């Protein structure tokens, strides 16, 4: 346990505690056996996630990494009787395992070059270090849902809402970012890899924000928001802002877990995930509505909430690296983030009620208490602890927070996004012209490309391999077996157990030897 591990230990432990208490109320109508299974999976996840955080080398981190993937599969598919949940669990498992192949290759290459699994880049040639870190980043792309390996995260919302808050908002998906933070000496020495991180993160932040705008399912909207925020963190890492990315990871865990738990409370009260079927819920659910607005404003980066401080540090890190285009992409994403979060809050809690249940109500104390605790973290985890956080993570570097023009631009874009969301809610601002684009985005072009590649390339390739296996490999083995059986059957006929035939065989053999000897002379 050191300055790098300590903040993550606090985040994982606190969020897991809040989610576990919340789950007691959320799953109270589930059968006792299913509840026991859920909390067993939950406890296993916490153990392996904390072991990942405290790993002293890449090998132990990889063990925790794979076990976290197992827990993700089990928890996403918790309602295994639903075909959609089973498919989502398998999709999450296979996409992340595909990416983990890169991580494993990077680990093996690191061991081959250095003889160990440590974080020290000393003695590693530049080209080999670049290859190692790029392979490690492939694993990060899968776990932290970076484009184009983000396709599993929205489908993972088929699991219970507390699972979404625990695995896919606050802790598990952040493991990829944490791996880069933990292995920062390796990544910091590989400039090419950092450039890849910068561009992949920026593109992910923007594309996922666009996808979040067109979602009607409140959980899928928050899932794409998670992809976008993870893109911010990866972009900051690519710009050299390790502490800024790590701080945003820590603050994001509080307000994103809060938003998911608030969404779960609303779903619990209305029995629907569709924001179009909600509306007017602030009056019967004032505390949930207030906490959702707090989380939405924190995610949008509104001062003085925690998201403001970490978002500003991310933008400053990209700006200091003189990365103009990625900075522009991230600034546009700031406005988009505020827009879709404001739009969701207004659609769900304001206006007239559109719920089939005419009597929505607040959830019980077991669900509300963790939400309040996370709400406090969303308010105070930024400004109060930013200095202490940097002294832990970067003890040899001085730090002081300076509000700059860039921060003012980011805040202005966030406020502009909220204003646009309000005008859209009131009907004074229409986005009908974006209909075709929104429909195209909604279909998930990357997801459909993967499905097409799976059906047209992978399955057909597998059919060819199956034919070769059946008729070439198996045919060769069967042919060898047939020859051996026929020769064995033929040789078996030589064993007749008749003495006269054996005598004739000996005489003929002796005669043949004599003739051979005579002719040989």
């Amino acid at each position: 346990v050191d300055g790098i591990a300590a903040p993550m230990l606090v985040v994982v432990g606190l969020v897991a505690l809040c989610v576990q208490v919340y789950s007691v109320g959320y799953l109270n109508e589930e059968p006792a056996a299913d509840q026991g299974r859920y909390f067993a999976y939950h406890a296993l996840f916490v153990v392996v996630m904390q072991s990942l955080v405290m790993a002293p080398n890449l090998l132990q981190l990889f063990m925790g990494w794979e076990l976290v993937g197992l827990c993700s599969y089990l928890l996403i598919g918790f309602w295994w009787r639903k075909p959609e949940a089973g498919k989502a669990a398998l999709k999450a498992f296979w996409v992340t395992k595909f990416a983990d192949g890169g991580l494993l290759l990077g680990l093996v290459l690191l061991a081959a070059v250095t003889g160990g699994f440590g974080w020290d880049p000393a003695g590693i040639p530049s080209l080999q270090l670049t290859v190692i870190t790029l392979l490690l980043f492939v694993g990060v792309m899968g776990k932290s849902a970076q484009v184009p390996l983000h396709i599993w995260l929205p489908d993972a919302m088929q699991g219970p809402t507390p699972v979404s808050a625990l695995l896919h908002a606050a802790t598990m998906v952040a493991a990829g970012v944490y791996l880069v933070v933990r292995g920062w000496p390796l990544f910091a020495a590989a400039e090419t890899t950092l450039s890849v991180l910068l561009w992949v993160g920026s593109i992910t932040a923007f594309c996922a924000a666009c996808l979040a705008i067109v979602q009607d399912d409140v959980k899928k909207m928050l899932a794409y928001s998670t992809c976008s925020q993870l893109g911010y963190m990866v972009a900051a890492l690519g710009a050299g802002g390790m502490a800024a990315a790590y701080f945003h990871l820590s603050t994001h865990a509080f307000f994103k877990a809060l938003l998911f738990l608030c969404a779960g409370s609303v779903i619990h009260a209305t029995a629907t995930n569709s924001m179009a079927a909600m509306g007017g819920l602030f009056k019967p659910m004032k505390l949930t509505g207030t906490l959702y607005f707090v989380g939405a404003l924190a995610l949008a980066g509104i001062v003085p909430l925690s998201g403001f401080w970490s978002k500003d540090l991310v933008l400053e890190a990209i700006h200091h690296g003189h990365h103009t285009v990625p900075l522009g992409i991230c600034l546009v994403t700031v406005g988009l983030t505020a827009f879709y979060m404001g739009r969701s809050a207004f659609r769900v809690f304001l206006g007239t009620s559109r719920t089939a249940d005419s009597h929505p109500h607040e959830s019980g104390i077991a669900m509300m208490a963790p939400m309040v605790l996370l709400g406090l973290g969303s308010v105070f985890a930024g400004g109060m602890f930013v200095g202490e956080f940097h002294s832990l993570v970067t003890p040899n570097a001085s730090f002081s927070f300076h509000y700059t023009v860039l921060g003012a631009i980011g805040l202005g874009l966030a406020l502009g996004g909220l204003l646009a969301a309000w005008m859209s809610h009131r009907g004074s601002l229409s986005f009908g012209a974006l209909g075709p684009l929104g429909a195209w985005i909604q279909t998930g072009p990357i997801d459909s490309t993967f499905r097409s590649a799976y059906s047209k390339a992978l399955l057909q390739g597998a059919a060819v391999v199956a034919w070769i296996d059946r008729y070439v490999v198996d045919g060769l083995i069967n042919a060898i077996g047939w020859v051996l059986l026929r020769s064995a059957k033929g040789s078996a006929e030589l064993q007749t157990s008749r003495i006269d035939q054996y005598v004739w065989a000996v005489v003929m053999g002796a005669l043949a030897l004599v003739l051979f000897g005579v002719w040989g002379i």
Side-chain angles (χ1 to χ4, degrees):
V1 177
D2 57 8
I4 296 293
M8 195 67 174
L9 290 173
V10 173
V11 168
V12 173
L14 185 57
V15 171
L17 173 63
C18 291
V19 171
Q20 192 162 32
V21 174
Y22 180 95
S23 300
V24 174
Y26 192 86
L27 300 174
N28 64 342
E29 296 181 1
E30 294 289 328
D34 287 347
Q35 291 189 42
R37 180 165 54 91
Y38 171 85
F39 286 109
Y41 295 163
H42 188 287
L44 176 62
F45 168 80
V46 176
V47 169
V48 298
M49 185 67 197
Q50 299 288 47
S51 70
L52 183 156
V53 172
M54 293 186 291
N57 56 59
L58 191 58
L59 180 61
Q60 184 173 318
L61 186 145
F62 182 74
M63 296 176 185
W65 184 278
E66 292 303 310
L67 287 171
V68 163
L70 168 65
C71 294
S72 173
Y73 167 77
L74 294 173
L75 286 167
I76 294 170
F78 173 72
W79 285 322
W80 55 272
R81 297 175 182 87
K82 293 169 54 180
E84 298 84 0
K87 291 179 181 178
L90 283 173
K91 185 175 183 179
F93 185 83
W94 284 116
V95 173
T96 54
K97 293 310 108 180
F98 170 79
D100 290 352
L103 176 60
L104 180 59
L105 289 174
L107 185 149
V108 171
L109 183 57
L110 178 65
V113 173
T114 66
F117 302 95
W119 319 111
D120 188 2
I124 304 178
S126 176
L127 178 59
Q128 292 179 337
L129 180 61
T130 300
V131 174
I132 290 170
T133 50
L134 284 175
L135 288 170
L136 297 179
F137 181 59
V138 172
V140 172
M141 290 177 66
K143 192 75 79 181
S144 290
Q146 298 297 288
V147 171
L149 299 181
H150 68 289
I151 55 174
W152 67 271
L153 187 56
D155 294 80
M157 298 302 107
Q158 292 292 338
T161 302
V163 171
S164 303
L166 178 68
L167 272 64
H168 309 292
T171 53
M172 192 205 82
V173 294
V177 176
Y178 180 77
L179 185 150
V180 180
V181 171
R182 181 82 273 182
W184 185 243
L186 289 172
F187 285 88
E191 295 184 6
T192 302
T193 303
L194 291 182
S195 297
V196 173
L197 264 69
L198 176 65
W199 283 100
V200 169
S202 301
I203 292 170
T204 299
F206 175 75
C207 292
C210 293
L211 287 164
I213 290 175
V214 298
Q215 300 301 313
D216 178 59
D217 187 312
V218 63
K219 287 176 65 177
K220 285 193 174 183
M221 181 274 297
L222 292 174
Y224 280 116
S225 172
T226 298
C227 291
S228 182
Q229 296 302 306
L230 290 167
Y232 272 129
M233 301 172 203
V234 172
L237 289 168
M242 183 271 284
Y246 195 13
F247 189 55
H248 193 51
L249 182 156
S250 303
T251 60
H252 173 261
F254 290 103
F255 49 75
K256 185 52 67 66
L258 171 64
L259 288 167
F260 265 108
L261 296 189
C262 287
S265 181
V266 170
I267 294 169
H268 200 261
T270 61
T272 180
N273 288 28
S274 173
M275 290 186 284
M278 299 177 186
L281 293 177
F282 189 83
K283 185 175 181 180
M285 304 179 70
K286 289 185 174 62
L287 182 55
T288 299
T290 301
L291 291 171
Y292 190 92
F293 273 95
V294 168
L297 293 174
L299 182 58
I302 303 301
V303 66
L305 303 178
S306 60
F308 162 78
W309 305 87
S310 57
K311 177 207 70 178
D312 190 67
L313 289 174
V314 166
L315 295 176
E316 286 293 336
I318 299 174
H319 173 66
H320 287 321
H322 305 288
H323 306 292
T324 306
V325 176
L327 177 62
I329 294 173
C330 290
L331 284 172
V332 171
T333 307
V334 169
L336 295 177
T337 302
F339 175 76
Y340 67 70
M341 285 311 306
R343 184 167 172 264
S344 70
F346 300 147
R347 292 179 73 190
V348 172
F349 292 101
L350 303 183
T352 58
S353 176
R354 301 180 295 275
T355 59
D357 183 359
S358 58
H359 301 288
H361 55 83
E362 290 282 18
S363 303
I365 185 66
M367 294 172 64
M368 296 307 301
M371 290 162 57
V372 171
L373 181 58
L374 290 171
L376 293 174
S378 301
V379 174
F380 298 111
M384 289 183 63
F385 299 104
V386 60
E388 289 78 0
F389 180 91
H390 280 75
S391 64
L392 268 175
V393 175
T394 54
N396 297 324
S398 59
F399 171 81
S400 59
F401 187 88
H402 299 287
Y403 191 59
T404 63
V405 174
L406 182 62
I409 294 173
L411 180 60
L413 289 170
L415 293 173
L418 291 174
L419 178 61
W422 175 253
M423 294 174 66
S424 175
H425 173 71
R426 299 291 294 176
S428 57
L429 184 62
S430 174
F431 293 90
L434 295 177
L437 177 61
W440 179 75
I441 293 174
Q442 181 69 30
T443 58
I446 297 177
D447 209 354
S448 61
T449 301
F450 273 108
R451 283 196 298 269
S452 179
Y454 173 77
S455 60
K456 295 180 179 179
L458 187 62
L459 289 184
Q460 293 182 9
V464 173
V465 172
W467 186 91
I468 295 173
D469 180 66
R470 183 175 297 112
Y471 295 105
V472 177
V473 178
D474 288 355
L476 178 61
I477 298 300
N478 292 336
I480 294 173
W482 182 85
V483 170
L484 291 175
L485 286 173
R486 296 298 297 177
S487 61
K489 186 177 180 180
S491 62
E493 294 177 355
L494 299 176
Q495 303 294 329
T496 64
S497 300
R498 292 181 59 178
I499 299 299
D500 56 334
Q501 291 180 356
Y502 291 170
V503 171
W504 276 109
V506 171
V507 170
M508 296 303 295
L511 181 59
L513 289 174
V514 170
L515 294 175
F516 177 77
V518 172
W519 291 342
I521 294 173

